[in-house]
Amino acid sequence: MAEPNTNPNTAEGGNEATFTQAEVDTIVAKRLARATKGMPSEEEMNAYKAWKANQQSEADRIKDIEKERDTEKAARLAAEAKVTQFEREKYLTAKGVSADELEFYCFKIGQKVTDTVSFEKAADE
């Protein structure tokens, strides 16, 4: 039994179509052009990869800056707390509080301080 002819390049009489190398190159080039249509070029891909790497390094730089900002903020708040404590101790020393009782009075009076009542006003009471 003979197998059916499934090759679309053959003629009815059984002759196979033949192509020259130039024709094959043209067919392959056209097919490749259709397949790669809309795809970025190698230069575009390299530019994208460089941009993406820059974005990542930029994100790392921002994280480092934020970490440094938070560290500096914590140091500033600690320094402000010390200054406030020294000012309170100075005020109480001027009022005649002994050095032994200074820390206790600063703590107790500090609990009475609010947005409307200053340390000095609370100490005077």
Side-chain angles (χ1 to χ4, degrees), residues 68-110:
E68 183 180 339
R69 178 200 62 199
D70 294 342
T71 302
E72 294 297 324
K73 183 178 180 181
R76 180 182 54 83
L77 291 174
E80 287 175 357
K82 281 185 178 182
V83 168
T84 300
Q85 181 68 21
F86 290 144
E87 288 173 347
R88 289 176 176 181
E89 289 176 359
K90 179 182 173 186
Y91 183 78
L92 292 177
T93 302
K95 290 286 188 177
V97 176
S98 69
D100 295 335
E101 299 173 334
L102 206 57
E103 187 176 340
F104 173 75
Y105 279 109
C106 282
F107 173 75
K108 282 302 211 178
I109 295 169

Side-chain angles (χ1 to χ4, degrees), residues 10-31:
T10 57
E12 198 58 39
N15 295 332
E16 291 186 18
T18 57
F19 298 100
T20 65
Q21 186 62 44
E23 291 172 326
V24 170
D25 291 344
T26 303
I27 293 169
V28 169
K30 287 180 181 177
R31 175 67 181 109

